[in-house]
Amino acid sequence: DAKTTQPNSMESNEEEPVHLPCNHSTISGTDYIHWYRQLPSQGPEYVIHGLTSNVNNRMASLAIAEDRKSSTLILHRATLRDAAVYYCILRVFVNAGGTSYGKLTFGQGTILTVHP
Amino acid sequence: DAGVTQSPTHLIKTRGQQVTLRCSPKSGHDTVSWYQQALGQGPQFIFQYYEEEERQRGNFPDRFSGHQFPNYSSELNVNALLLGDSALYLCASRSIHRGEALHFGNGTRLTVT
């Protein structure tokens, strides 16, 4: 499985933008870049995903480098509720009988601390 | 619309015993995956079930087995428990045809003494 590299921790102030980087230099052409986050005492929560183009949703934006070897998750205005572990994951697809399956390979993630 | 539900939330077992954990997927989802999360680590993929069959498996021994029922719910069984099996066990579901995102439950905390 292609691996990702993230900083162990980052800090931000409330209401400021946060840029969470991820390196994935061995990404293959069919790997999607997924971001999940895990709040304390909860299961992981989907944030956003993309393949080549930048993506926006109500939670965040995903900026993907042109060579796809890195990406950045952008939280436009951090809140205290955004304090979590953020995981950057390459989604590996295994085709079986024409139906694609996927497992998520989690790394250590980035612990985001948001200061009031 | 209930999300992924897991039971029990906490469990204490003795080394050598067997345990069964249960998961009900989010409504409309048909595939279920199980993950093990040790303290301070990211979740590790155990296996995935679709159409009542194991479709993918991670690097876990045969002591870990599972089942998916016709209503898409799933069980994770662990035999001959070891102290190292103490972890948070997470269940995730998705629609194989409609959705990219996995929806996770809040997990079962298993402690082996």
Side-chain angles (χ1 to χ4, degrees):
Chain A
D1 294 346
K3 298 183 81 171
T4 63
T5 304
Q6 300 177 252
N8 289 332
S9 63
M10 292 186 65
E11 297 187 17
S12 173
N13 294 318
E14 205 174 7
E15 299 189 6
E16 289 185 355
V18 181
H19 290 234
L20 296 163
C22 180
N23 288 317
H24 29 78
S25 58
T26 60
I27 190 171
S28 73
T30 55
D31 285 338
Y32 282 76
I33 302 159
H34 287 245
W35 284 81
Y36 282 74
R37 71 180 185 182
Q38 188 170 18
L39 279 64
S41 302
Q42 294 188 24
E45 172 189 33
Y46 168 80
V47 177
I48 200 167
H49 79 279
L51 182 62
T52 56
S53 304
N54 294 344
V55 185
N56 301 296
N57 67 20
R58 63 173 180 81
M59 290 181 69
S61 296
L62 176 60
I64 302 172
E66 201 168 322
D67 63 5
R68 300 210 326 127
K69 294 184 184 301
S70 65
S71 61
T72 302
L73 179 70
I74 303 166
L75 308 179
H76 296 285
R77 290 183 69 210
T79 69
L80 297 178
R81 197 195 169 278
D82 292 322
V85 180
Y86 285 79
Y87 296 99
C88 170
I89 301 162
L90 300 184
R91 183 69 175 267
V92 178
F93 283 92
V94 176
N95 286 323
T99 303
S100 65
Y101 307 96
K103 72 175 186 180
L104 297 181
T105 301
F106 287 82
Q108 296 280 80
T110 297
I111 300 171
L112 176 64
T113 302
V114 180
H115 299 289
Chain B
D1 178 21
V4 178
T5 58
Q6 295 186 241
S7 63
T9 54
H10 295 83
L11 201 53
I12 300 175
K13 289 286 189 177
T14 303
R15 196 170 37 181
Q17 286 187 318
Q18 178 264 343
V19 68
T20 297
L21 310 181
R22 294 177 175 83
C23 171
S24 292
K26 180 179 168 65
S27 177
H29 287 184
D30 50 14
T31 180
V32 172
S33 302
W34 287 91
Y35 289 79
Q36 179 195 66
Q37 186 173 25
L39 208 58
Q41 305 293 317
Q44 300 298 307
F45 175 76
I46 302 175
F47 42 53
Q48 181 177 40
Y49 276 83
Y50 174 62
E51 293 184 329
E52 302 177 49
E53 290 186 19
E54 184 183 295
R55 300 292 182 162
Q56 276 186 281
R57 190 178 183 91
N59 188 26
F60 280 80
D62 292 344
R63 298 187 297 109
F64 289 77
S65 63
H67 191 78
Q68 186 180 33
F69 299 94
N71 67 353
Y72 308 118
S73 67
S74 178
E75 289 181 350
L76 165 66
N77 301 294
V78 187
N79 294 322
L81 284 166
L82 303 173
L83 296 178
D85 294 331
S86 295
L88 180 68
Y89 288 86
L90 295 160
C91 172
S93 71
R94 66 184 278 259
S95 166
I96 203 80
H97 296 294
R98 288 190 288 111
E100 282 291 328
L102 283 183
H103 293 249
F104 283 83
N106 287 331
T108 294
R109 172 70 63 187
L110 173 65
T111 302
V112 182
T113 62

